Amino acid sequence: MAYKIFIDGKDGTTGLKIYERFAQRNDIELMQISEDKRKDSGERRRLINESDFTFLCLPDAAAVESVALCTNPHVRILDSSTAHRTAAGWDYGFPELAPAFRSSIEKSNRVAVPGCYASGFGSICYPLTVSGIMQRDYPVVCHAVSGYSGAGKKAIAQYEDAERSVEFDSPRLYALTQQHKHLPEMQKVSGLSYTPIFDPYICDYFSGMSVTVPLYARLLAKKVTAHDVWEMFSNQYDGCRFVKVAGFMGEGTLPEPFIPANTLDGTNNMEIFVCGNDERIMITSRFDNLGKGASGAAVQCMNIMMGIDEGTGL
């Protein structure tokens, strides 16, 4: 029997991508909502409570409302908004971080799908703190670039407007007040004592992301070389299907000494690079902000919750 799936917010960027990933699957039944009832709470309540799995691809306030509409204890909800990523009673949807994360997802009825930037940041900083290489009060700085697709429909329209301003030709730094909405989960999931400095740039390409955390070796909790750090990450993600660690300094993956951010678009893959030298170490996570950073991660978590191959449809 096919699982009944409802996507609340199907017309958003993440919802559309999830919908596309279901196109070739015959093990699910997609429950559709009429366009004229898309914001009808009664109809949404009915569909949510009749589903086996509901995806929330909504603004935070609407996601909270949808969770409140669910009265059927058997419905399993995956929320791609920011609303529940640090909330009690919700499991964090990044199974590769540790066996405990995967186990929690398998049994969960409430999974918070990580934010795109937070996925890259957590893939770097969680292993560093858990391994003891980086102390929890290390003054972390994070730099990141993303394609414009992650900024929502309004930004996509701005970037794709033939009459757009020249400023859209250039990378644009934002979150200037250091209050980016991903920061709470970045700090909590990675176990940091203090909120990191975060410098994200939106750039003139559609999708793909790279997130970088630079480290001063002299400030770390353990005396390590850059190669030691690479070995730790290689062990951390050994055997993972979607998260891979490139050879040291990108060997075997980078044909030139550059890390482009858009080469994994359309996939659910993530690549970790350890570069630099024994004084200044640079760790970069590269992935698709719409894939492992959003819709791909959501579908992967649902597959794990179903107890099937986590790569189904990916």
Side-chain angles (χ1 to χ4, degrees):
M1 184 178 68
Y3 289 98
K4 293 182 177 181
I5 309 293
F6 175 53
I7 304 173
D8 197 0
K10 182 178 74 67
D11 292 335
T13 306
T14 299
L16 287 170
K17 286 294 181 180
I18 292 173
Y19 189 81
E20 289 175 8
R21 291 177 185 276
F22 288 157
Q24 305 301 319
R25 292 184 61 163
N26 57 15
D27 60 333
I28 61 174
E29 174 189 337
L30 280 172
M31 305 172 70
Q32 305 283 3
I33 189 168
S34 302
E35 183 61 27
D36 61 334
K37 293 186 176 181
R38 196 162 51 88
K39 296 185 178 180
D40 183 318
S41 59
E43 182 67 358
R44 287 167 55 220
R45 177 186 291 110
R46 180 184 71 81
L47 290 167
I48 290 169
N49 285 289
E50 289 180 5
S51 72
D52 295 304
F53 292 86
T54 284
F55 289 86
L56 305 181
C57 304
L58 302 162
D60 288 3
V64 171
E65 177 192 4
S66 290
V67 174
L69 294 175
C70 182
T71 56
N72 180 348
H74 301 294
V75 176
R76 308 177 80 178
I77 297 178
L78 299 100
D79 183 11
S80 67
S81 81
T82 313
H84 298 104
R85 292 173 186 160
T86 60
W90 287 75
D91 295 298
Y92 198 67
F94 200 145
E96 291 89 356
L97 290 183
F101 282 80
R102 181 178 293 273
S103 178
S104 294
I105 294 166
E106 288 174 352
K107 298 175 287 187
S108 184
N109 275 2
R110 298 288 183 271
V111 170
V113 181
C116 53
Y117 287 117
S119 294
F121 185 85
S123 72
I124 295 168
C125 288
Y126 179 86
L128 285 169
T129 56
V130 170
S131 67
I133 288 176
M134 184 176 76
Q135 61 272 42
R136 296 182 185 276
D137 63 352
Y138 186 94
V140 176
V141 176
C142 176
H143 307 285
V145 297
S146 175
Y148 60 79
S149 59
K153 285 186 174 181
K154 181 180 178 181
I156 292 173
Q158 287 178 317
Y159 272 92
E160 297 183 350
D161 185 348
E163 304 298 321
R164 74 185 193 182
S165 167
V166 67
E167 69 182 70
F168 292 95
D169 298 343
S170 167
R172 296 190 299 155
L173 174 67
Y174 68 108
L176 302 183
T177 63
Q178 287 298 304
Q179 298 297 321
H180 193 282
K181 65 180 183 178
H182 290 178
L183 281 168
E185 66 180 292
M186 289 164 68
Q187 179 181 352
K188 180 179 179 180
V189 172
S190 299
L192 300 177
S193 301
Y194 300 102
T195 306
I197 290 176
F198 180 42
D199 297 329
Y201 287 80
I202 182 170
C203 303
D204 185 21
Y205 64 96
F206 186 71
S207 66
M209 174 174 284
S210 69
V211 178
T212 298
V213 175
L215 301 171
Y216 285 107
R218 69 178 185 273
L219 299 182
L220 294 173
K222 291 182 179 179
K223 183 175 177 57
V224 291
T225 65
H227 196 272
D228 292 335
V229 173
W230 173 80
E231 286 186 333
M232 182 277 290
F233 277 102
S234 296
N235 291 331
Q236 163 74 22
Y237 294 113
D238 182 44
C240 290
R241 180 165 181 175
F242 293 112
V243 182
K244 303 293 184 182
V245 178
F248 186 52
M249 298 289 291
E251 183 179 359
T253 303
L254 301 177
E256 296 183 275
F258 299 90
I259 301 179
N262 63 347
T263 57
L264 295 179
D265 61 316
T267 77
N268 191 52
N269 299 330
M270 174 181 282
E271 294 172 337
I272 308 291
F273 298 90
V274 178
C275 302
N277 54 56
D278 291 347
E279 294 179 356
R280 300 178 307 283
I281 305 166
M282 185 176 73
I283 306 103
T284 298
S285 179
R286 175 170 70 177
F287 54 102
D288 181 2
N289 56 291
L290 299 181
K292 188 60 173 166
S295 63
V299 172
Q300 180 187 358
C301 285
M302 184 198 72
N303 290 338
I304 291 170
M305 295 161 78
M306 287 179 172
I308 64 176
D309 182 341
E310 66 180 322
T312 303
L314 297 173

